[in-house]
Amino acid sequence: MPDDLNWAIGGEAGDGIDSTGKIFAQALSRAGRHVFTSKDFASRIRGGYTAYKIRSSTDRVESVVDRLDILVALTERTIDENLDELHDDSVIIYDGERTEMEDIEIPGEMTGLSVPLQRLAEEAGGAIMQNIVALGAACEVTNFPIENLDSALEKKFGSKGESIVSNNKEAARKGQEFVAEEFDHEFDYDLDTTDNDYVLLNGDQAIGMGAIAAGCRFYAGYPITPATDVMEYLTGRIEQFGGEVVQAEDELSAINMALGAARAGARSMTATSGPGIDLMTETFGLVATSETPLVIADVMRSGPSTGMPTKQEQGDLNMTLYGGHGEIPRFVLAPTNVAECFQKTVEAFNLAEKYQTPVFLLADLSMAVTEQTFEPETFDMDAVEIDRGKIVDDDEVEAWTDERDRFQPHFSTADGVSPRALPGTKNAAHMSTGLEHNSLGRRTEDTDVRIEQVDKRNRKVETAKEQEDWSPREFGDSDSDNLVISWGSNEGAMREALEFLDEEDIDVRFLSVPYIFPRPDLSDDIEAADEVIVVECNESGQFADVLEHDALTRVKRVNKYNGVRFKADELAEDIKEQLQSEEVTA
Amino acid sequence: MSSEVRFTDFKSDKQPTWCPGCGDFGTMNGMMKALANTGNDPDNTFVVAGIGCSGKIGTYMHSYALHGVHGRALPVGTGVKLANPDLEVMVAGGDGDGYSIGAGHFIHAVRRNVDMTYVVMDNRIYGLTKGQASPTSREDFETSTTPEGPKQPPVNPLALALSAGGSFIAQSFSTDAQRHTEIVQKAIEHDGFGFVNVFSPCVTFNDVDTYDYFRDSIVDLDDEDHDPTDRDAAKEKILDADKEYQGILYQNEESVPYSELHGLDSNMADIPDGAPEGAMDLVREFY
Ligand SMILES: Cc1ncc(C[n+]2csc(CCOP(=O)(O)OP(=O)(O)O)c2C)c(N)n1
Ligand code: SF4
């Protein structure tokens, strides 16, 4: 009896799909089960198909697979949309009493459970609870103790009053009882519970949480899918820690506000997605030349232009790596899972202040909207260390002044990092500018000073390359001649793909890279392997390009750019195919 | 803040490269005097400058300062002030910087009412790029990019500010040193966004909106018994296209600045060495 469950609820946008899915995810998590969620959504608020999918197991789950076991279909289209993932043992729960659903055909050998969701919900106090009836039915089908659902309902509706909570519990019971009484009990699912305590959150929330943990006090942003959740998370929370969220009039304003706050000494950030990153680009250079610590998150979605706003892609790597006129020293970090969104955000703030540079956090839609379970200690607040870099106080200013007692904010040090005086520091008033400048921050076109300052800024990157750990993470068989490399959120699917490949006796060494720049030097690893495959969610293979450039050799590529994240089983197939292919396709 | 601060303390040791006679000299002097008169010193002052001849002001003044990208000075100033309410924040730039590329930010900065001072050196031309039409250029003003004039009406920045809910709207003339200083000073003292449009003639590229023109046409609101708290009176004057006014056109004495409304009173630069106290509660929320 499988303990690994793939469940989904789908319907029209506006049907409460998201909140229902979330309640079930929470119920599973509260029962000590691991959860990994994903969403199919369209860029419309009403109308248009949308689904919330949950994969759950007592073992850790890091990815989605091409399989759907139980589907709550609020519309007929929901079944069509998921036909590829449904299988003979799938169970479809739907409301056959609704006129639109009367003549529904359940495909193949699948089991259709017609449950009068609406009627039972009305009996429990209101049609609005039809989705909760469906959750009760799902509990029965999976042998999942409904008390866990009760606890999720309490969490969700507790603030709305006792009667709302009890009505919802009642609605769930009605769904459960209906299935128990009307259908022969021969479902193939049996969900275990454990004593584990998990927290359940998505990547955007983890970025926001990381920001607060790292002492970020100022956030300016402009709403854009799929980055808005960062702003929504921080709103109402950052204030409790003395901070502020400003919804700017556009992204140009957002990044400049964040820059202003950072100049004033606050740990400061902005987050956006592709189109917003485009608008911010001019300011990247200003951040870098004024040597302002700033964290800029790009939660990528499918581009170019407005592209597919609600779909996955890792297409902005080049943009964050190269975006902006002139040459801009910067760091680009790419968290590989939800927990890493937290950790890399903390790291980003430290890097930004230690090196006084822009730091990009390259996240993506899949990770941003995916909720994943973790042991709470994964977000270890005690482990958060804050390194503010070379901030000088009133007494230290003199050491950094020139012969005329003028503070030198861009003094060319051996490590490239200059003293930083926050406004208010005595006798250190100075100007920062996007113009090329001397050590005082004053405009210059002097050829030697130009070279000195450019070199100085780039030296920070060299220093960071030496002082920080930019290593990849390694999985699979370390002796294998087959090397797979990926970056960002593909790690989970790839890790699971290793298991599929292992079942077919294909050994693979897998390196997951959370740093785009600086990045680990993988030349030796690439040279040592017979086959090298780079996996990423874009068409051209942007990371493959930079690795080829680093290692001066060609690599194979697995690219996905249909807007959907890699699924573990499908990725395993793609890898297998590439391993067998003769050609390097680049 | 020390009482010994003199306005020359705000002068940098860098000689301005503005054309001799440029209106920006007077505008800057008034700003420095106003800062000193209001008890500020360079170490607690932050000047954000735009791009343009006007934007060079950050270089010639001595204070904490940022000279940013074209049109984005107001957002930078907003960030500085919200992050550290102890700083006196002054934003300065040109009419192109503020009302063209930065027009969107202008409206929203006015609405946001952050307690800072915005000084626009309005010369009705693009100076630094050598004489193209600006948003405040006259409809028939011939320039290198508008040989027959822009053929579109100039923007009225005061009207924009008033309609966006501006809480302090003033206009001054850079060469009328005393009056200009006094007006900027009142803008600094105002609790909220103090906006001053300064006629700051470009002697090189604008032969229409000259010192002589302004000297002849300016009407001082103090001579008109104008009540700046009367919004309707302000509206009437602001929409009067035939006159160039100097003085405070409108001031909302009930203005509550952004930081106060949002309860921001501490310096955000002060953060603990590790995650803040209570951070673990952030995790527990996700049970
Ligand atoms: C994004 C961008 N576009 C164009 C420019 C070129 N530019 C520099 S100053 C300026 C106009 C400045 O006019 P104004 O604000 O009226 O200032 P003034 O020089 O007259 O004081 C322009 C267009 C630029 N620096 N950045
Ligand atoms: S070009 Fe005009 S605005 Fe620029 S410095 Fe000369 S006079 Fe002043």
Side-chain angles (χ1 to χ4, degrees):
Chain A
M1 289 207 193
D3 177 53
D4 182 347
L5 176 77
N6 289 280
W7 175 95
I9 181 167
E12 296 251 316
D15 278 346
I17 303 294
D18 244 41
S19 55
T20 313
K22 180 113 201 233
I23 290 169
F24 197 46
Q26 231 148 27
L28 291 161
S29 153
R30 291 183 154 222
R33 297 180 58 81
H34 275 294
V35 168
F36 188 96
T37 74
S38 59
K39 292 178 193 175
D40 294 347
F41 62 113
S43 189
R44 293 162 64 173
I45 301 308
R46 260 211 163 265
Y49 159 77
T50 172
Y52 188 104
K53 297 185 170 175
I54 299 175
R55 184 162 174 220
S56 174
S57 166
T58 45
D59 294 332
R60 254 206 94 63
V61 271
E62 300 271 3
S63 64
V64 285
V65 284
D66 238 337
R67 199 182 90 225
L68 193 50
D69 305 315
I70 298 182
L71 173 65
V72 177
L74 297 182
T75 58
E76 200 173 345
R77 179 170 170 199
T78 305
I79 299 176
D80 298 337
E81 291 277 353
N82 292 284
L83 217 46
D84 289 352
E85 295 184 11
L86 290 164
H87 53 88
D88 284 351
D89 294 329
S90 296
V91 175
I92 299 173
I93 297 169
Y94 67 101
D95 186 346
E97 283 186 12
R98 282 176 55 187
T99 32
E100 322 85 88
M101 302 290 273
E102 261 171 8
D103 306 319
I104 210 159
E105 287 198 28
I106 300 299
E109 306 276 296
M110 294 170 204
T111 309
L113 298 186
S114 174
V115 181
L117 303 175
Q118 219 161 331
R119 176 160 60 81
L120 294 175
E122 272 159 17
E123 286 172 24
I128 192 160
M129 294 181 296
Q130 58 161 337
N131 298 358
I132 306 299
V133 176
L135 293 184
C139 288
E140 181 62 21
V141 173
T142 54
N143 269 319
F144 181 64
I146 201 161
E147 296 70 36
N148 297 296
L149 184 57
D150 290 344
S151 116
L153 290 170
E154 279 160 20
K155 183 175 160 95
K156 171 79 182 173
F157 298 115
S159 61
K160 296 194 175 165
E162 191 41 51
S163 69
I164 304 266
V165 175
S166 59
N167 286 356
N168 274 285
K169 287 183 184 173
E170 169 72 9
R173 290 290 179 300
K174 286 192 179 288
Q176 181 191 34
E177 283 158 15
F178 187 88
V179 173
E181 284 161 19
E182 297 291 320
F183 303 101
D184 272 348
H185 225 270
E186 274 183 52
F187 304 116
D188 214 7
Y189 302 96
D190 196 4
L191 299 191
D192 286 339
T193 59
T194 77
D195 292 335
N196 296 331
D197 264 338
Y198 295 130
V199 290
L200 181 70
L201 70 168
N202 71 29
D204 273 349
Q205 292 166 329
I207 290 173
M209 198 161 82
I212 294 181
C216 173
R217 292 286 169 82
F218 188 83
Y219 177 96
Y222 187 76
I224 185 169
T225 304
T228 310
D229 274 4
V230 178
M231 188 157 148
E232 290 184 350
Y233 175 81
L234 288 172
T235 302
R237 288 188 181 80
I238 204 169
E239 291 86 346
Q240 296 162 23
F241 298 90
E244 178 77 351
V245 169
V246 179
Q247 180 173 326
E249 54 274 22
D250 55 35
E251 288 84 353
L252 301 156
S253 177
I255 189 170
N256 280 283
M257 276 186 197
L259 165 79
R263 284 307 311 169
R267 285 196 153 194
S268 169
M269 85 176 284
T270 183
T272 185
S273 190
I277 278 287
D278 288 355
L279 292 185
M280 292 180 178
T281 316
E282 185 192 15
T283 302
F284 296 171
L286 174 61
V287 177
T289 57
S290 64
E291 306 201 61
T292 307
L294 192 65
V295 176
I296 303 153
D298 177 2
V299 187
M300 292 176 284
R301 63 190 213 179
S302 184
S305 192
T306 339
M308 299 196 290
T310 58
K311 301 292 172 200
Q312 162 70 355
E313 199 165 283
Q314 295 177 302
D316 299 354
L317 183 150
N318 285 341
M319 180 65 185
T320 43
L321 189 53
Y322 305 118
H325 63 286
E327 297 164 313
I328 301 170
R330 64 186 95 197
F331 300 137
V332 185
L333 317 185
T336 60
N337 62 36
V338 171
E340 259 218 342
C341 287
F342 172 83
Q343 286 132 10
K344 284 282 172 284
T345 303
V346 174
E347 194 177 334
F349 278 102
N350 283 336
L351 288 171
E353 290 210 315
K354 266 172 91 174
Y355 298 100
Q356 302 168 18
T357 53
V359 179
F360 292 94
L361 264 180
L362 204 42
D364 59 46
L365 179 135
S366 288
M367 200 157 44
V369 303
T370 287
E371 276 133 354
Q372 235 185 310
T373 36
F374 295 94
E375 279 83 20
E377 308 79 63
T378 315
F379 305 94
D380 183 359
M381 295 297 174
D382 293 336
V384 171
E385 284 174 22
I386 288 179
D387 186 343
R388 304 216 60 184
K390 282 192 205 168
I391 296 183
V392 299
D393 61 24
D394 291 355
D395 301 331
E396 294 161 328
V397 168
E398 210 183 321
W400 298 101
T401 57
D402 70 359
E403 67 294 342
R404 289 167 64 190
D405 282 340
R406 298 174 302 190
F407 181 68
Q408 301 175 90
H410 302 288
F411 186 83
S412 178
T413 54
D415 61 4
V417 185
S418 305
R420 185 169 158 234
L422 306 185
T425 311
K426 294 281 164 266
N427 302 318
H430 64 271
M431 191 183 69
S432 319
T433 171
L435 291 166
E436 192 55 271
H437 46 253
N438 60 16
S439 67
L440 295 170
R442 294 188 180 172
R443 178 200 185 131
T444 183
E445 288 174 4
D446 181 297
T447 49
D448 294 336
V449 177
R450 158 74 179 174
I451 288 174
E452 182 189 26
Q453 286 293 322
V454 171
D455 290 350
K456 174 209 119 60
R457 292 194 293 266
N458 284 325
R459 211 149 57 234
K460 296 191 281 190
V461 177
E462 293 312 313
T463 306
K465 277 184 185 166
E466 284 161 25
Q467 289 190 353
E468 314 289 332
D469 183 5
W470 308 98
S471 329
R473 273 202 300 267
E474 178 161 356
F475 304 97
D477 177 354
S478 57
D479 295 325
S480 174
D481 291 330
N482 300 321
L483 176 62
V484 173
I485 302 169
S486 86
W487 64 280
S489 69
N490 310 311
E491 181 185 289
M494 188 54 212
R495 280 176 68 182
E496 195 172 342
L498 292 177
E499 292 168 25
F500 286 99
L501 291 164
D502 193 50
E503 281 166 23
E504 301 196 38
D505 285 331
I506 300 173
D507 55 78
V508 168
R509 179 177 181 225
F510 169 44
L511 295 176
S512 174
V513 185
Y515 300 104
I516 307 300
F517 191 83
R519 56 183 167 271
D521 182 357
L522 301 181
S523 311
D524 291 344
D525 304 273
I526 289 174
E527 196 165 318
D530 285 343
E531 297 282 355
V532 182
I533 301 171
V534 179
V535 170
E536 55 196 312
C537 267
N538 55 44
E539 188 275 332
S540 63
Q542 297 178 22
F543 196 56
D545 287 344
V546 296
L547 291 180
E548 282 183 346
H549 171 271
D550 291 350
L552 295 176
T553 186
R554 281 295 166 92
V555 297
K556 289 181 172 177
R557 294 154 195 244
V558 169
N559 300 90
K560 188 169 181 188
Y561 52 96
N562 64 354
V564 183
R565 71 186 309 157
F566 282 110
K567 294 173 181 169
D569 41 2
E570 152 207 271
L571 181 56
E573 279 305 309
D574 291 346
I575 301 274
K576 201 167 102 185
E577 199 177 299
Q578 280 294 325
L579 287 175
Q580 285 156 0
S581 117
E582 293 295 312
E583 273 169 80
V584 175
T585 47
Chain B
M1 289 179 223
S2 60
S3 51
E4 309 93 75
V5 173
R6 294 178 330 148
F7 93 90
T8 46
D9 293 336
F10 284 97
K11 255 193 173 134
S12 86
D13 53 10
K14 187 111 173 156
Q15 280 308 310
T17 56
W18 286 319
C19 308
C22 174
D24 293 349
F25 286 99
T27 307
M28 178 172 78
N29 280 335
M31 286 166 64
M32 296 192 294
K33 282 186 190 144
L35 279 167
N37 291 352
T38 47
N40 291 291
D41 65 35
D43 291 334
N44 84 329
T45 303
F46 201 111
V47 174
V48 186
I51 296 286
C53 295
S54 45
K56 292 181 176 178
I57 191 160
T59 316
Y60 309 141
M61 284 178 67
H62 175 63
S63 71
Y64 284 93
L66 185 114
H67 180 220
V69 297
H70 195 23
R72 318 293 163 209
L74 283 170
V76 175
T78 302
V80 171
K81 183 67 189 184
L82 297 186
N84 186 351
D86 300 336
L87 298 173
E88 187 61 49
V89 176
M90 195 168 260
V91 180
D95 39 299
D97 191 75
Y99 311 142
S100 196
I101 192 165
H105 306 314
F106 174 55
I107 303 293
H108 294 281
V110 169
R111 290 174 60 213
R112 215 170 266 125
N113 203 31
V114 171
D115 188 11
M116 57 189 182
T117 307
Y118 184 37
V119 175
V120 178
M121 303 176 201
D122 185 0
N123 54 16
R124 301 183 172 175
I125 188 108
Y126 282 11
L128 194 68
T129 48
K130 301 194 164 57
Q132 299 80 24
S134 99
T136 48
S137 295
R138 292 160 190 252
E139 208 159 343
D140 58 357
F141 182 50
E142 295 164 19
T143 74
S144 60
T145 50
T146 58
E148 295 172 40
K151 296 184 179 170
Q152 46 193 309
V155 305
N156 179 338
L158 308 180
L160 287 178
L162 190 75
S163 63
S167 63
F168 183 99
I169 302 167
Q171 193 154 256
S172 65
F173 180 27
S174 72
T175 206
D176 191 343
Q178 204 187 331
R179 197 67 176 110
H180 163 63
T181 303
E182 179 188 304
I183 290 167
V184 176
Q185 202 170 317
K186 293 227 166 93
I188 293 174
E189 282 159 354
H190 174 70
D191 285 333
F193 189 76
F195 165 53
V196 189
N197 191 64
V198 188
F199 299 130
S200 197
C202 170
V203 293
T204 306
F205 296 111
N206 194 331
D207 54 7
V208 179
D209 294 299
T210 59
Y211 285 101
D212 284 346
Y213 162 75
F214 284 114
R215 231 175 253 127
D216 291 347
S217 19
I218 275 185
V219 177
D220 198 299
L221 290 168
D222 276 4
D223 302 334
E224 295 254 306
D225 283 335
H226 175 65
D227 173 8
T229 62
D230 180 346
R231 201 165 182 272
D232 288 331
K235 187 166 96 188
E236 202 175 299
K237 295 233 153 34
I238 285 173
L239 293 179
D240 178 357
D242 298 329
K243 293 229 177 73
E244 311 280 11
Y245 287 105
Q246 159 173 284
I248 299 165
L249 285 131
Y250 179 65
Q251 179 165 21
N252 176 0
E253 289 181 328
E254 257 101 71
S255 161
V256 183
Y258 184 102
S259 298
E260 204 177 310
L261 268 179
H262 289 244
L264 300 177
D265 50 14
S266 62
N267 181 352
M268 293 183 192
D270 301 330
I271 60 166
D273 296 337
E277 212 166 305
M280 212 51 213
D281 290 344
L282 296 169
V283 182
R284 287 190 203 105
E285 262 185 69
F286 290 104
Y287 271 121

